[in-house]
PDB file of all heavy atoms in Angstrom:
ATOM      1  N   GLU S1222       2.643   7.722  49.147  1.00 71.00           N
ATOM      2  CA  GLU S1222       2.054   8.347  47.973  1.00 71.00           C
ATOM      3  C   GLU S1222       2.084   7.464  46.753  1.00 71.00           C
ATOM      4  O   GLU S1222       1.298   7.617  45.819  1.00 71.00           O
ATOM      5  CB  GLU S1222       2.779   9.634  47.630  1.00 71.00           C
ATOM      6  CG  GLU S1222       2.604  10.758  48.708  1.00 71.00           C
ATOM      7  CD  GLU S1222       3.261  12.036  48.297  1.00 71.00           C
ATOM      8  OE1 GLU S1222       3.892  12.063  47.215  1.00 71.00           O
ATOM      9  OE2 GLU S1222       3.196  13.026  49.073  1.00 71.00           O
ATOM     10  N   HIS S1223       2.992   6.457  46.743  1.00 67.00           N
ATOM     11  CA  HIS S1223       3.154   5.589  45.561  1.00 67.00           C
ATOM     12  C   HIS S1223       2.909   4.120  45.915  1.00 67.00           C
ATOM     13  O   HIS S1223       3.325   3.237  45.153  1.00 67.00           O
ATOM     14  CB  HIS S1223       4.567   5.743  44.988  1.00 67.00           C
ATOM     15  CG  HIS S1223       4.874   7.104  44.477  1.00 67.00           C
ATOM     16  ND1 HIS S1223       5.365   8.086  45.262  1.00 67.00           N
ATOM     17  CD2 HIS S1223       4.718   7.637  43.244  1.00 67.00           C
ATOM     18  CE1 HIS S1223       5.565   9.201  44.579  1.00 67.00           C
ATOM     19  NE2 HIS S1223       5.146   8.988  43.330  1.00 67.00           N
ATOM     20  N   ARG S1224       2.218   3.852  47.017  1.00 68.00           N
ATOM     21  CA  ARG S1224       2.049   2.475  47.434  1.00 68.00           C
ATOM     22  C   ARG S1224       1.039   1.703  46.605  1.00 68.00           C
ATOM     23  O   ARG S1224       1.126   0.497  46.426  1.00 68.00           O
ATOM     24  CB  ARG S1224       1.632   2.381  48.903  1.00 68.00           C
ATOM     25  CG  ARG S1224       0.291   3.019  49.231  1.00 68.00           C
ATOM     26  CD  ARG S1224       0.117   3.077  50.739  1.00 68.00           C
ATOM     27  NE  ARG S1224      -1.185   3.613  51.114  1.00 68.00           N
ATOM     28  CZ  ARG S1224      -2.277   2.932  51.340  1.00 68.00           C
ATOM     29  NH1 ARG S1224      -2.228   1.583  51.196  1.00 68.00           N
ATOM     30  NH2 ARG S1224      -3.406   3.490  51.665  1.00 68.00           N
ATOM     31  N   LEU S1225       0.094   2.412  45.964  1.00 77.00           N
ATOM     32  CA  LEU S1225      -0.888   1.731  45.104  1.00 77.00           C
ATOM     33  C   LEU S1225      -0.229   1.348  43.779  1.00 77.00           C
ATOM     34  O   LEU S1225       0.594   2.109  43.254  1.00 77.00           O
ATOM     35  CB  LEU S1225      -2.082   2.632  44.869  1.00 77.00           C
ATOM     36  CG  LEU S1225      -2.903   3.000  46.120  1.00 77.00           C
ATOM     37  CD1 LEU S1225      -4.035   3.982  45.744  1.00 77.00           C
ATOM     38  CD2 LEU S1225      -3.482   1.761  46.766  1.00 77.00           C
ATOM     39  N   PRO S1226      -0.600   0.171  43.220  1.00 72.00           N
ATOM     40  CA  PRO S1226      -0.004  -0.280  41.943  1.00 72.00           C
ATOM     41  C   PRO S1226      -0.061   0.742  40.818  1.00 72.00           C
ATOM     42  O   PRO S1226       0.918   0.900  40.085  1.00 72.00           O
ATOM     43  CB  PRO S1226      -0.818  -1.526  41.611  1.00 72.00           C
ATOM     44  CG  PRO S1226      -1.308  -2.023  42.915  1.00 72.00           C
ATOM     45  CD  PRO S1226      -1.584  -0.804  43.718  1.00 72.00           C
ATOM     46  N   GLU S1227      -1.199   1.421  40.705  1.00 71.00           N
ATOM     47  CA  GLU S1227      -1.330   2.381  39.586  1.00 71.00           C
ATOM     48  C   GLU S1227      -0.448   3.626  39.777  1.00 71.00           C
ATOM     49  O   GLU S1227      -0.255   4.384  38.837  1.00 71.00           O
ATOM     50  CB  GLU S1227      -2.783   2.809  39.444  1.00 71.00           C
ATOM     51  CG  GLU S1227      -3.382   3.430  40.701  1.00 71.00           C
ATOM     52  CD  GLU S1227      -4.062   2.408  41.611  1.00 71.00           C
ATOM     53  OE1 GLU S1227      -3.696   1.210  41.496  1.00 71.00           O
ATOM     54  OE2 GLU S1227      -4.954   2.798  42.354  1.00 71.00           O
ATOM     55  N   MET S1228       0.091   3.842  41.019  1.00 73.00           N
ATOM     56  CA  MET S1228       0.879   5.037  41.267  1.00 73.00           C
ATOM     57  C   MET S1228       2.366   4.805  41.010  1.00 73.00           C
ATOM     58  O   MET S1228       3.149   5.740  40.982  1.00 73.00           O
ATOM     59  CB  MET S1228       0.652   5.511  42.693  1.00 73.00           C
ATOM     60  CG  MET S1228      -0.777   5.909  43.008  1.00 73.00           C
ATOM     61  SD  MET S1228      -1.379   7.226  41.924  1.00 73.00           S
ATOM     62  CE  MET S1228      -0.338   8.566  42.459  1.00 73.00           C
ATOM     63  N   HIS S1229       2.804   3.536  40.912  1.00 68.00           N
ATOM     64  CA  HIS S1229       4.241   3.282  40.640  1.00 68.00           C
ATOM     65  C   HIS S1229       4.460   2.436  39.416  1.00 68.00           C
ATOM     66  O   HIS S1229       5.472   1.733  39.282  1.00 68.00           O
ATOM     67  CB  HIS S1229       4.912   2.657  41.857  1.00 68.00           C
ATOM     68  CG  HIS S1229       4.372   1.306  42.287  1.00 68.00           C
ATOM     69  ND1 HIS S1229       3.474   1.193  43.327  1.00 68.00           N
ATOM     70  CD2 HIS S1229       4.599   0.084  41.861  1.00 68.00           C
ATOM     71  CE1 HIS S1229       3.169  -0.091  43.493  1.00 68.00           C
ATOM     72  NE2 HIS S1229       3.840  -0.750  42.589  1.00 68.00           N
ATOM     73  N   GLN S1230       3.478   2.417  38.514  1.00 67.00           N
ATOM     74  CA  GLN S1230       3.587   1.679  37.248  1.00 67.00           C
ATOM     75  C   GLN S1230       3.999   0.209  37.515  1.00 67.00           C
ATOM     76  O   GLN S1230       4.951  -0.289  36.985  1.00 67.00           O
ATOM     77  CB  GLN S1230       4.612   2.346  36.319  1.00 67.00           C
ATOM     78  CG  GLN S1230       4.205   3.731  35.883  1.00 67.00           C
ATOM     79  CD  GLN S1230       5.184   4.412  34.939  1.00 67.00           C
ATOM     80  OE1 GLN S1230       6.326   4.008  34.856  1.00 67.00           O
ATOM     81  NE2 GLN S1230       4.765   5.419  34.233  1.00 67.00           N
ATOM     82  N   CYS S1231       3.217  -0.412  38.371  1.00 67.00           N
ATOM     83  CA  CYS S1231       3.521  -1.795  38.834  1.00 67.00           C
ATOM     84  C   CYS S1231       3.499  -2.754  37.639  1.00 67.00           C
ATOM     85  O   CYS S1231       2.529  -2.848  36.938  1.00 67.00           O
ATOM     86  CB  CYS S1231       2.505  -2.212  39.886  1.00 67.00           C
ATOM     87  SG  CYS S1231       2.762  -3.873  40.475  1.00 67.00           S
ATOM     88  N   PHE S1232       4.590  -3.512  37.496  1.00 58.00           N
ATOM     89  CA  PHE S1232       4.676  -4.462  36.391  1.00 58.00           C
ATOM     90  C   PHE S1232       4.102  -5.798  36.794  1.00 58.00           C
ATOM     91  O   PHE S1232       3.805  -6.655  35.975  1.00 58.00           O
ATOM     92  CB  PHE S1232       6.139  -4.685  35.952  1.00 58.00           C
ATOM     93  CG  PHE S1232       7.029  -5.270  37.008  1.00 58.00           C
ATOM     94  CD1 PHE S1232       7.107  -6.641  37.245  1.00 58.00           C
ATOM     95  CD2 PHE S1232       7.797  -4.396  37.804  1.00 58.00           C
ATOM     96  CE1 PHE S1232       7.920  -7.160  38.223  1.00 58.00           C
ATOM     97  CE2 PHE S1232       8.631  -4.937  38.794  1.00 58.00           C
ATOM     98  CZ  PHE S1232       8.680  -6.316  39.018  1.00 58.00           C
ATOM     99  N   GLY S1233       3.870  -6.005  38.101  1.00 59.00           N
ATOM    100  CA  GLY S1233       3.328  -7.265  38.598  1.00 59.00           C
ATOM    101  C   GLY S1233       1.825  -7.314  38.600  1.00 59.00           C
ATOM    102  O   GLY S1233       1.246  -8.403  38.649  1.00 59.00           O
ATOM    103  N   ILE S1234       1.183  -6.169  38.495  1.00 60.00           N
ATOM    104  CA  ILE S1234      -0.280  -6.137  38.578  1.00 60.00           C
ATOM    105  C   ILE S1234      -0.904  -6.925  37.421  1.00 60.00           C
ATOM    106  O   ILE S1234      -2.044  -7.411  37.498  1.00 60.00           O
ATOM    107  CB  ILE S1234      -0.795  -4.669  38.611  1.00 60.00           C
ATOM    108  CG1 ILE S1234      -2.302  -4.629  38.953  1.00 60.00           C
ATOM    109  CG2 ILE S1234      -0.498  -3.975  37.275  1.00 60.00           C
ATOM    110  CD1 ILE S1234      -2.620  -5.105  40.326  1.00 60.00           C
ATOM    111  N   ARG S1235      -0.217  -6.962  36.295  1.00 52.00           N
ATOM    112  CA  ARG S1235      -0.791  -7.633  35.156  1.00 52.00           C
ATOM    113  C   ARG S1235      -0.881  -9.138  35.384  1.00 52.00           C
ATOM    114  O   ARG S1235      -1.645  -9.835  34.674  1.00 52.00           O
ATOM    115  CB  ARG S1235       0.077  -7.393  33.876  1.00 52.00           C
ATOM    116  CG  ARG S1235       1.416  -8.049  33.897  1.00 52.00           C
ATOM    117  CD  ARG S1235       2.152  -7.752  32.590  1.00 52.00           C
ATOM    118  NE  ARG S1235       3.389  -8.473  32.522  1.00 52.00           N
ATOM    119  CZ  ARG S1235       4.548  -8.118  33.036  1.00 52.00           C
ATOM    120  NH1 ARG S1235       4.603  -6.954  33.690  1.00 52.00           N
ATOM    121  NH2 ARG S1235       5.622  -8.846  32.901  1.00 52.00           N
ATOM    122  N   LEU S1236      -0.154  -9.687  36.335  1.00 51.00           N
ATOM    123  CA  LEU S1236      -0.200 -11.089  36.636  1.00 51.00           C
ATOM    124  C   LEU S1236      -1.401 -11.463  37.524  1.00 51.00           C
ATOM    125  O   LEU S1236      -1.746 -12.629  37.660  1.00 51.00           O
ATOM    126  CB  LEU S1236       1.070 -11.573  37.313  1.00 51.00           C
ATOM    127  CG  LEU S1236       2.370 -11.422  36.480  1.00 51.00           C
ATOM    128  CD1 LEU S1236       3.557 -11.839  37.302  1.00 51.00           C
ATOM    129  CD2 LEU S1236       2.264 -12.233  35.203  1.00 51.00           C
ATOM    130  N   ALA S1237      -1.962 -10.453  38.140  1.00 52.00           N
ATOM    131  CA  ALA S1237      -3.136 -10.700  39.065  1.00 52.00           C
ATOM    132  C   ALA S1237      -4.388 -10.874  38.231  1.00 52.00           C
ATOM    133  O   ALA S1237      -4.586 -10.201  37.221  1.00 52.00           O
ATOM    134  CB  ALA S1237      -3.294  -9.512  39.988  1.00 52.00           C
ATOM    135  N   PRO S1238      -5.258 -11.823  38.612  1.00 49.00           N
ATOM    136  CA  PRO S1238      -6.487 -12.054  37.859  1.00 49.00           C
ATOM    137  C   PRO S1238      -7.435 -10.891  38.013  1.00 49.00           C
ATOM    138  O   PRO S1238      -7.504 -10.215  39.027  1.00 49.00           O
ATOM    139  CB  PRO S1238      -7.052 -13.324  38.504  1.00 49.00           C
ATOM    140  CG  PRO S1238      -6.467 -13.332  39.869  1.00 49.00           C
ATOM    141  CD  PRO S1238      -5.107 -12.742  39.721  1.00 49.00           C
ATOM    142  N   SER S1239      -8.207 -10.623  36.972  1.00 50.00           N
ATOM    143  CA  SER S1239      -9.216  -9.566  37.027  1.00 50.00           C
ATOM    144  C   SER S1239     -10.301  -9.974  38.064  1.00 50.00           C
ATOM    145  O   SER S1239     -10.668 -11.113  38.158  1.00 50.00           O
ATOM    146  CB  SER S1239      -9.871  -9.426  35.642  1.00 50.00           C
ATOM    147  OG  SER S1239     -10.947  -8.508  35.734  1.00 50.00           O
ATOM    148  N   PRO S1240     -10.756  -8.986  38.870  1.00 45.00           N
ATOM    149  CA  PRO S1240     -11.717  -9.303  39.931  1.00 45.00           C
ATOM    150  C   PRO S1240     -12.978  -9.992  39.417  1.00 45.00           C
ATOM    151  O   PRO S1240     -13.564 -10.819  40.075  1.00 45.00           O
ATOM    152  CB  PRO S1240     -12.072  -7.919  40.516  1.00 45.00           C
ATOM    153  CG  PRO S1240     -10.855  -7.103  40.225  1.00 45.00           C
ATOM    154  CD  PRO S1240     -10.349  -7.566  38.892  1.00 45.00           C
ATOM    155  N   ASP S1241     -13.397  -9.653  38.190  1.00 42.00           N
ATOM    156  CA  ASP S1241     -14.631 -10.245  37.660  1.00 42.00           C
ATOM    157  C   ASP S1241     -14.416 -11.661  37.158  1.00 42.00           C
ATOM    158  O   ASP S1241     -15.351 -12.339  36.736  1.00 42.00           O
ATOM    159  CB  ASP S1241     -15.236  -9.385  36.540  1.00 42.00           C
ATOM    160  CG  ASP S1241     -14.304  -9.236  35.386  1.00 42.00           C
ATOM    161  OD1 ASP S1241     -13.100  -9.526  35.548  1.00 42.00           O
ATOM    162  OD2 ASP S1241     -14.715  -8.762  34.323  1.00 42.00           O
ATOM    163  N   ARG S1242     -13.146 -12.127  37.151  1.00 41.00           N
ATOM    164  CA  ARG S1242     -12.844 -13.489  36.677  1.00 41.00           C
ATOM    165  C   ARG S1242     -12.406 -14.380  37.796  1.00 41.00           C
ATOM    166  O   ARG S1242     -12.171 -15.567  37.600  1.00 41.00           O
ATOM    167  CB  ARG S1242     -11.736 -13.446  35.609  1.00 41.00           C
ATOM    168  CG  ARG S1242     -12.121 -12.668  34.374  1.00 41.00           C
ATOM    169  CD  ARG S1242     -10.991 -12.628  33.375  1.00 41.00           C
ATOM    170  NE  ARG S1242     -10.605 -13.959  32.948  1.00 41.00           N
ATOM    171  CZ  ARG S1242      -9.547 -14.215  32.219  1.00 41.00           C
ATOM    172  NH1 ARG S1242      -8.741 -13.252  31.805  1.00 41.00           N
ATOM    173  NH2 ARG S1242      -9.232 -15.446  31.877  1.00 41.00           N
ATOM    174  N   VAL S1243     -12.302 -13.866  39.004  1.00 39.00           N
ATOM    175  CA  VAL S1243     -11.833 -14.646  40.136  1.00 39.00           C
ATOM    176  C   VAL S1243     -13.019 -15.426  40.697  1.00 39.00           C
ATOM    177  O   VAL S1243     -14.080 -14.882  40.980  1.00 39.00           O
ATOM    178  CB  VAL S1243     -11.248 -13.752  41.207  1.00 39.00           C
ATOM    179  CG1 VAL S1243     -10.855 -14.563  42.459  1.00 39.00           C
ATOM    180  CG2 VAL S1243      -9.983 -13.029  40.696  1.00 39.00           C
ATOM    181  N   ARG S1244     -12.801 -16.704  40.911  1.00 41.00           N
ATOM    182  CA  ARG S1244     -13.798 -17.530  41.567  1.00 41.00           C
ATOM    183  C   ARG S1244     -13.256 -17.903  42.961  1.00 41.00           C
ATOM    184  O   ARG S1244     -12.035 -18.168  43.087  1.00 41.00           O
ATOM    185  CB  ARG S1244     -14.076 -18.798  40.786  1.00 41.00           C
ATOM    186  CG  ARG S1244     -14.782 -18.532  39.453  1.00 41.00           C
ATOM    187  CD  ARG S1244     -15.040 -19.826  38.728  1.00 41.00           C
ATOM    188  NE  ARG S1244     -13.824 -20.543  38.411  1.00 41.00           N
ATOM    189  CZ  ARG S1244     -13.798 -21.751  37.859  1.00 41.00           C
ATOM    190  NH1 ARG S1244     -14.923 -22.387  37.610  1.00 41.00           N
ATOM    191  NH2 ARG S1244     -12.654 -22.313  37.580  1.00 41.00           N
ATOM    192  N   PRO S1245     -14.091 -17.971  43.989  1.00 41.00           N
ATOM    193  CA  PRO S1245     -13.604 -18.340  45.323  1.00 41.00           C
ATOM    194  C   PRO S1245     -12.903 -19.700  45.257  1.00 41.00           C
ATOM    195  O   PRO S1245     -13.405 -20.652  44.695  1.00 41.00           O
ATOM    196  CB  PRO S1245     -14.929 -18.419  46.129  1.00 41.00           C
ATOM    197  CG  PRO S1245     -15.896 -17.542  45.401  1.00 41.00           C
ATOM    198  CD  PRO S1245     -15.547 -17.684  43.934  1.00 41.00           C
ATOM    199  N   TYR S1246     -11.715 -19.736  45.864  1.00 37.00           N
ATOM    200  CA  TYR S1246     -10.936 -20.973  45.853  1.00 37.00           C
ATOM    201  C   TYR S1246     -11.263 -21.855  47.067  1.00 37.00           C
ATOM    202  O   TYR S1246     -11.233 -21.363  48.194  1.00 37.00           O
ATOM    203  CB  TYR S1246      -9.432 -20.631  45.863  1.00 37.00           C
ATOM    204  CG  TYR S1246      -8.581 -21.884  45.926  1.00 37.00           C
ATOM    205  CD1 TYR S1246      -8.463 -22.707  44.836  1.00 37.00           C
ATOM    206  CD2 TYR S1246      -7.877 -22.203  47.102  1.00 37.00           C
ATOM    207  CE1 TYR S1246      -7.666 -23.833  44.874  1.00 37.00           C
ATOM    208  CE2 TYR S1246      -7.116 -23.330  47.140  1.00 37.00           C
ATOM    209  CZ  TYR S1246      -7.013 -24.140  46.034  1.00 37.00           C
ATOM    210  OH  TYR S1246      -6.261 -25.280  46.090  1.00 37.00           O
ATOM    211  N   LYS S1247     -11.696 -23.049  46.796  1.00 41.00           N
ATOM    212  CA  LYS S1247     -12.028 -23.979  47.885  1.00 41.00           C
ATOM    213  C   LYS S1247     -11.104 -25.187  47.764  1.00 41.00           C
ATOM    214  O   LYS S1247     -11.342 -26.133  47.013  1.00 41.00           O
ATOM    215  CB  LYS S1247     -13.493 -24.447  47.743  1.00 41.00           C
ATOM    216  CG  LYS S1247     -14.484 -23.285  47.858  1.00 41.00           C
ATOM    217  CD  LYS S1247     -15.886 -23.795  47.712  1.00 41.00           C
ATOM    218  CE  LYS S1247     -16.906 -22.649  47.823  1.00 41.00           C
ATOM    219  NZ  LYS S1247     -18.304 -23.078  47.674  1.00 41.00           N
ATOM    220  N   PRO S1248     -10.008 -25.124  48.483  1.00 39.00           N
ATOM    221  CA  PRO S1248      -8.959 -26.183  48.321  1.00 39.00           C
ATOM    222  C   PRO S1248      -9.463 -27.534  48.744  1.00 39.00           C
ATOM    223  O   PRO S1248      -9.994 -27.715  49.846  1.00 39.00           O
ATOM    224  CB  PRO S1248      -7.812 -25.683  49.244  1.00 39.00           C
ATOM    225  CG  PRO S1248      -8.453 -24.792  50.228  1.00 39.00           C
ATOM    226  CD  PRO S1248      -9.614 -24.142  49.484  1.00 39.00           C
ATOM    227  N   TYR S1249      -9.325 -28.518  47.831  1.00 34.00           N
ATOM    228  CA  TYR S1249      -9.581 -29.925  48.104  1.00 34.00           C
ATOM    229  C   TYR S1249     -11.003 -30.135  48.622  1.00 34.00           C
ATOM    230  O   TYR S1249     -11.264 -30.908  49.542  1.00 34.00           O
ATOM    231  CB  TYR S1249      -8.575 -30.457  49.122  1.00 34.00           C
ATOM    232  CG  TYR S1249      -7.189 -30.048  48.821  1.00 34.00           C
ATOM    233  CD1 TYR S1249      -6.442 -29.224  49.673  1.00 34.00           C
ATOM    234  CD2 TYR S1249      -6.587 -30.397  47.618  1.00 34.00           C
ATOM    235  CE1 TYR S1249      -5.200 -28.795  49.364  1.00 34.00           C
ATOM    236  CE2 TYR S1249      -5.304 -29.959  47.277  1.00 34.00           C
ATOM    237  CZ  TYR S1249      -4.637 -29.186  48.184  1.00 34.00           C
ATOM    238  OH  TYR S1249      -3.349 -28.759  47.866  1.00 34.00           O
ATOM    239  N   GLU S1250     -11.990 -29.423  48.052  1.00 35.00           N
ATOM    240  CA  GLU S1250     -13.349 -29.559  48.472  1.00 35.00           C
ATOM    241  C   GLU S1250     -13.868 -30.988  48.299  1.00 35.00           C
ATOM    242  O   GLU S1250     -14.658 -31.467  49.147  1.00 35.00           O
ATOM    243  CB  GLU S1250     -14.210 -28.594  47.673  1.00 35.00           C
ATOM    244  CG  GLU S1250     -15.704 -28.549  48.098  1.00 35.00           C
ATOM    245  CD  GLU S1250     -16.458 -27.562  47.281  1.00 35.00           C
ATOM    246  OE1 GLU S1250     -16.169 -27.444  46.064  1.00 35.00           O
ATOM    247  OE2 GLU S1250     -17.307 -26.884  47.825  1.00 35.00           O
ATOM    248  N   ASP S1251     -13.412 -31.665  47.265  1.00 33.00           N
ATOM    249  CA  ASP S1251     -13.887 -33.019  46.986  1.00 33.00           C
ATOM    250  C   ASP S1251     -12.920 -34.089  47.444  1.00 33.00           C
ATOM    251  O   ASP S1251     -12.963 -35.214  46.985  1.00 33.00           O
ATOM    252  CB  ASP S1251     -14.132 -33.194  45.462  1.00 33.00           C
ATOM    253  CG  ASP S1251     -12.865 -33.002  44.668  1.00 33.00           C
ATOM    254  OD1 ASP S1251     -11.945 -32.365  45.196  1.00 33.00           O
ATOM    255  OD2 ASP S1251     -12.826 -33.457  43.533  1.00 33.00           O
ATOM    256  N   THR S1252     -12.056 -33.750  48.351  1.00 32.00           N
ATOM    257  CA  THR S1252     -11.047 -34.703  48.784  1.00 32.00           C
ATOM    258  C   THR S1252     -11.004 -34.789  50.309  1.00 32.00           C
ATOM    259  O   THR S1252     -11.674 -34.067  51.011  1.00 32.00           O
ATOM    260  CB  THR S1252      -9.631 -34.276  48.291  1.00 32.00           C
ATOM    261  OG1 THR S1252      -9.269 -33.052  49.015  1.00 32.00           O
ATOM    262  CG2 THR S1252      -9.601 -34.014  46.789  1.00 32.00           C
ATOM    263  N   LEU S1253     -10.174 -35.707  50.768  1.00 33.00           N
ATOM    264  CA  LEU S1253      -9.988 -35.838  52.192  1.00 33.00           C
ATOM    265  C   LEU S1253      -8.773 -35.012  52.612  1.00 33.00           C
ATOM    266  O   LEU S1253      -7.757 -35.518  53.090  1.00 33.00           O
ATOM    267  CB  LEU S1253      -9.751 -37.325  52.572  1.00 33.00           C
ATOM    268  CG  LEU S1253     -10.927 -38.266  52.210  1.00 33.00           C
ATOM    269  CD1 LEU S1253     -10.575 -39.687  52.578  1.00 33.00           C
ATOM    270  CD2 LEU S1253     -12.169 -37.843  52.919  1.00 33.00           C
ATOM    271  N   GLY S1254      -8.845 -33.713  52.364  1.00 36.00           N
ATOM    272  CA  GLY S1254      -7.708 -32.806  52.599  1.00 36.00           C
ATOM    273  C   GLY S1254      -7.395 -32.674  54.096  1.00 36.00           C
ATOM    274  O   GLY S1254      -8.286 -32.721  54.940  1.00 36.00           O
ATOM    275  N   VAL S1255      -6.124 -32.518  54.380  1.00 36.00           N
ATOM    276  CA  VAL S1255      -5.691 -32.355  55.785  1.00 36.00           C
ATOM    277  C   VAL S1255      -4.769 -31.141  55.812  1.00 36.00           C
ATOM    278  O   VAL S1255      -3.870 -31.043  54.960  1.00 36.00           O
ATOM    279  CB  VAL S1255      -4.944 -33.600  56.302  1.00 36.00           C
ATOM    280  CG1 VAL S1255      -4.418 -33.352  57.710  1.00 36.00           C
ATOM    281  CG2 VAL S1255      -5.877 -34.802  56.286  1.00 36.00           C
ATOM    282  N   ARG S1256      -4.910 -30.216  56.725  1.00 35.00           N
ATOM    283  CA  ARG S1256      -4.090 -29.065  56.855  1.00 35.00           C
ATOM    284  C   ARG S1256      -3.237 -29.173  58.119  1.00 35.00           C
ATOM    285  O   ARG S1256      -3.809 -29.373  59.215  1.00 35.00           O
ATOM    286  CB  ARG S1256      -4.897 -27.807  56.881  1.00 35.00           C
ATOM    287  CG  ARG S1256      -5.523 -27.436  55.562  1.00 35.00           C
ATOM    288  CD  ARG S1256      -6.225 -26.105  55.584  1.00 35.00           C
ATOM    289  NE  ARG S1256      -6.725 -25.731  54.279  1.00 35.00           N
ATOM    290  CZ  ARG S1256      -6.002 -25.094  53.377  1.00 35.00           C
ATOM    291  NH1 ARG S1256      -4.737 -24.762  53.633  1.00 35.00           N
ATOM    292  NH2 ARG S1256      -6.527 -24.804  52.200  1.00 35.00           N
ATOM    293  N   THR S1257      -1.968 -29.091  57.992  1.00 36.00           N
ATOM    294  CA  THR S1257      -1.058 -29.151  59.145  1.00 36.00           C
ATOM    295  C   THR S1257       0.016 -28.105  58.984  1.00 36.00           C
ATOM    296  O   THR S1257       0.836 -28.197  58.057  1.00 36.00           O
ATOM    297  CB  THR S1257      -0.408 -30.566  59.227  1.00 36.00           C
ATOM    298  OG1 THR S1257      -1.426 -31.536  59.282  1.00 36.00           O
ATOM    299  CG2 THR S1257       0.428 -30.636  60.504  1.00 36.00           C
ATOM    300  N   ARG S1258      -0.018 -27.085  59.845  1.00 42.00           N
ATOM    301  CA  ARG S1258       0.952 -25.997  59.803  1.00 42.00           C
ATOM    302  C   ARG S1258       1.028 -25.364  58.410  1.00 42.00           C
ATOM    303  O   ARG S1258       2.087 -25.097  57.877  1.00 42.00           O
ATOM    304  CB  ARG S1258       2.324 -26.527  60.193  1.00 42.00           C
ATOM    305  CG  ARG S1258       2.434 -26.981  61.664  1.00 42.00           C
ATOM    306  CD  ARG S1258       3.828 -27.402  62.030  1.00 42.00           C
ATOM    307  NE  ARG S1258       3.875 -27.823  63.410  1.00 42.00           N
ATOM    308  CZ  ARG S1258       4.987 -28.274  64.015  1.00 42.00           C
ATOM    309  NH1 ARG S1258       6.110 -28.344  63.307  1.00 42.00           N
ATOM    310  NH2 ARG S1258       4.983 -28.687  65.260  1.00 42.00           N
ATOM    311  N   GLY S1259      -0.135 -25.206  57.822  1.00 49.00           N
ATOM    312  CA  GLY S1259      -0.181 -24.508  56.530  1.00 49.00           C
ATOM    313  C   GLY S1259       0.009 -25.433  55.319  1.00 49.00           C
ATOM    314  O   GLY S1259      -0.102 -24.995  54.191  1.00 49.00           O
TER     315      GLY S1259
END
C-alpha cells in the first residue's frame, strides 16, 4: 500500500531527475568504450 514514493513521503524522490528533463544516456558514444562484466 505504501510502495509508491508518493505514498510514504519519499525523501529520495527529489534527487531523481524530472522525466521531461531526462535525456537518453549513451555511454561513451564518441569513444572506444569497452564493457567487461559491467
Side-chain angles (χ1 to χ4, degrees):
E1222 294 182 359
H1223 297 88
R1224 63 190 181 92
L1225 296 177
E1227 58 269 24
M1228 299 302 294
H1229 61 261
Q1230 297 181 340
C1231 179
F1232 63 85
I1234 190 67
R1235 69 178 187 275
L1236 298 176
S1239 174
D1241 61 346
R1242 297 178 60 188
V1243 175
R1244 293 182 298 175
Y1246 177 71
K1247 299 180 180 179
Y1249 316 116
E1250 184 179 37
D1251 60 339
T1252 67
L1253 300 178
V1255 178
R1256 289 185 176 272
T1257 305
R1258 294 183 181 180

